[in-house]
Each structure stands twice: as C-alpha cells, then as structure tokens.
Amino acid sequence: MKVVVADNFEAGALKLLEATGAQIVHKPESLEAELADAKMLVVRSATRVTEELLSIAPNLKVVARAGVGLDNVDQDACKKRGIEVMNTPSASTNAVAEFALALILGASRNVPRAHHSMKQGKWEKKVLAGSEVEGRTLGIIGCGRIGSLLAEKARALGMEVLGYNPPPRHDSPHIKYVELDELFGSSDIISLHVPSTPETNGMINKGTISKMKDGAILINTARGSIVEEDALYGACKSGKIRAAALDVFPSEPYSGKLLELENVFCTPHIAASTAQAQERIGELIAQKISSLMSCGE
Ligand code: MLT
C-alpha cells in the first residue's frame, strides 16, 4: 500500500509510518506522479486538499490530516469521492496549550522584544518592564480541548479565566463562562482557540477590538483568518492592543505588515510542533495504515 506524505513530517513520526510496512513517499517532487496509485494522503497545513488535487488521485481511500484543523481539506469533495477523512484532534492538545501559555508569559514580560533589543546591543531595562500574569484575567475564545487545558494551566498560575464557546458549553471547572462582550470588556489577555469557520473568520475586527480593555494582549494559535489583519495592525500601532503574539497568519508563510511592529511577536505556526505531539500523530496515522492494510488495501 502506498502512502504519500505531502508536507513536512518529523523523522521519528515518519519511522512509525514506515514500520507498518507500507510504502511511504515523503514530500515527493511531483505529487501528481505519486498520487496516481496512492491509497492514502497525509497532510499538515501546507497542502490544500482540493477537488482538483483529488482528481489526480483515483485510488485514494483516506486523507489523513496530521493535526486538528480541517480547513485545508475539502471535506465535501472527499465525501463525494467516498474518501475517508481523518484527523488527530487530541494528539497536539498539550503542545498547543503549552505554546499559548508560553506566548502569554512571553508577551506579558516582553521576552521576545528583550531578546531582540539585546541582540541589537541595547540594555533597555526600564522600557522592557512587564506585568505579571498572576491575578490577571485571561479570556479564552473557544473552550474545547485546547482552550480548556489552557484554562487549567492558567488557573495554576493564579489567573482568573473567562471563557466563551460557540455553541455555548459549560464543562470546565476552571472556566467562568460568559458572553463574548463581557469577555472582551473584562480580559487583560485574550487567547483564541476556535476553528476557522464562516462564523469565526474575521471575529477579531475593528468593532470587537474596540470592546477590549485598553492595553489588552491578544494571542492567536488558532487560525490567521479569525483576526482581521488591518484592524490588528491599527490597534497594535495605536497601543489599544499592547501586544499581540501570533503563531498563525492569514496566509502562510507570512511576510506581511504585522512583522513591522515591535509589539507583534510572531512564530511560524509551530504551536503543535513538539517531538511528543508529532510522535502521537505518527502513532495514530500508523494505526490507520495498519488497519487499512489488514483489510487488504
Ligand atoms: C493543527 O491544526 O493541528 C495545527 O494548526 C498544527 C499544524 O497544522 O501544524
């Protein structure tokens, strides 16, 4: 059975796929040539699984999204062709929650900015004074696996945690669930954990930013499309938003204007990129390959 892994895959995880005995083709030069007889396609966020891509893969049985978000997979097109779509929703929960926490602490204490400043030969002890997170209010938009785990970790640091989830849910003892406007108006730090959907895209815009506290911090490890780039740029420039820490962008790789601002901290979509998360993802996809092979694929 042939499995095409179209995007970057960590070496350890790749070994787990190879151990199944399937023929694993990693990052082929020509997707078209390799997909012609492939049974399974594995993607992260870079490859877009469109109807057009599926049309060059006549034997495909499964599309595996190595991660959570399925926004780069045309699920309707897969359904039409009878192709199963799988993802690995719980494998990277801790990695992303920890990373959001790292961004919260880093942005509150100016860690990335201090690093840059020193590398430029400066010693800006006064300018870089930050604020502690203990006693501050974290607003979490999207209280699923990642949002709830972040809430638990933030509570352990002594933060107050407000949460809003569309549709409403009330299952975490670590979260005080509120309406969205209350979350915007009461949070010192806002962290986004919703998927990209027509309802969430552009959810952070000029109007919603105006409801935030002056000097709020925004963290985005979810999807770039949730935040309107121009609105965020304006708010960070004016200081309405004190700092933004972004791991995801409207288009990736990102080279846009938010990079110009000193109070916008950027990382290249690495929240789920830990050895542990990638290994868990590898294990789940390897299990799927083995079960397909045992069915004679
Ligand atoms: C995900 O949806 O799992 C994350 O964005 C991680 C990734 O795609 O690398």
Side-chain angles (χ1 to χ4, degrees):
M1 174 177 145
K2 183 172 178 183
V3 178
V4 172
V5 181
D7 296 328
N8 272 329
F9 221 60
E10 206 248 334
L14 214 49
K15 273 204 183 114
L16 293 170
L17 304 196
E18 280 158 1
T20 60
Q23 180 195 354
I24 309 295
V25 182
H26 184 214
K27 292 197 80 181
E29 260 179 33
S30 161
L31 257 188
E32 191 158 6
E34 298 296 348
L35 279 178
D37 56 347
K39 289 271 158 58
M40 185 165 175
L41 169 64
V42 181
V43 298
R44 288 188 68 184
S45 52
T47 299
R48 301 203 73 74
V49 183
T50 58
E51 197 152 15
E52 200 186 342
L53 187 84
L54 296 178
S55 72
I56 58 167
N59 295 307
L60 213 58
K61 295 272 182 284
V62 178
V63 169
R65 165 68 169 96
V68 187
L70 285 165
D71 44 307
N72 57 325
V73 178
D74 184 338
Q75 294 182 73
D76 289 338
C78 289
K79 202 170 167 192
K80 258 197 252 161
R81 279 269 321 272
I83 296 170
E84 182 186 341
V85 176
M86 74 167 279
N87 63 349
T88 55
S90 53
S92 44
T93 304
N94 189 59
V96 180
E98 274 188 11
F99 197 77
L101 195 59
L103 296 183
I104 289 169
L105 290 164
S108 299
R109 301 301 302 270
N110 293 317
V111 177
R113 200 165 155 183
H115 168 82
H116 272 291
S117 151
M118 270 197 76
K119 291 272 177 169
Q120 287 164 0
K122 299 181 196 158
W123 188 261
E124 299 184 294
K125 204 170 156 88
K126 259 192 198 154
V127 181
L128 292 167
S131 59
E132 293 169 28
V133 297
E134 188 180 32
R136 302 191 83 215
T137 300
L138 171 65
I140 296 179
I141 301 180
C143 304
R145 291 183 191 81
I146 298 170
S148 309
L149 185 59
L150 172 63
E152 187 178 343
K153 292 176 191 294
R155 289 288 295 147
L157 293 178
M159 300 187 82
E160 301 299 325
V161 180
L162 303 180
Y164 169 81
N165 193 74
R169 55 192 292 170
H170 301 276
D171 46 356
S172 166
H174 307 287
I175 298 177
K176 180 182 173 210
Y177 294 94
V178 294
E179 290 301 321
L180 194 52
D181 279 358
E182 186 180 342
L183 185 147
F184 282 132
S186 307
S187 301
D188 301 300
I189 300 164
I190 294 173
S191 192
L192 305 175
H193 298 284
V194 280
S196 166
T197 65
E199 292 73 40
T200 61
N201 287 336
M203 174 182 212
I204 304 299
N205 52 46
K206 228 174 166 181
T208 50
I209 289 173
S210 72
K211 295 177 184 169
M212 293 180 192
K213 275 185 166 181
D214 291 341
I217 290 175
L218 182 73
I219 309 293
N220 191 5
T221 55
R223 282 295 180 263
S225 56
I226 298 161
V227 180
E228 279 185 6
E229 188 181 14
D230 286 346
L232 180 62
Y233 181 87
C236 288
K237 203 162 181 174
S238 71
K240 167 74 185 173
I241 290 186
R242 195 189 104 197
L246 311 173
D247 186 50
V248 286
F249 300 89
S251 64
E252 296 178 4
Y254 180 74
S255 56
K257 61 184 178 182
L258 289 164
L259 297 174
E260 293 162 16
L261 300 178
E262 258 195 337
N263 56 347
V264 177
F265 309 127
C266 300
T267 49
H269 202 148
I270 53 170
S273 295
T274 63
Q276 294 86 343
Q278 296 309 309
E279 195 174 322
R280 284 191 287 268
I281 288 171
E283 276 164 11
L284 291 168
I285 296 179
Q287 276 166 23
K288 185 69 192 178
I289 295 174
S290 299
S291 82
L292 284 172
M293 287 172 78
S294 68
C295 295
E297 289 297 346

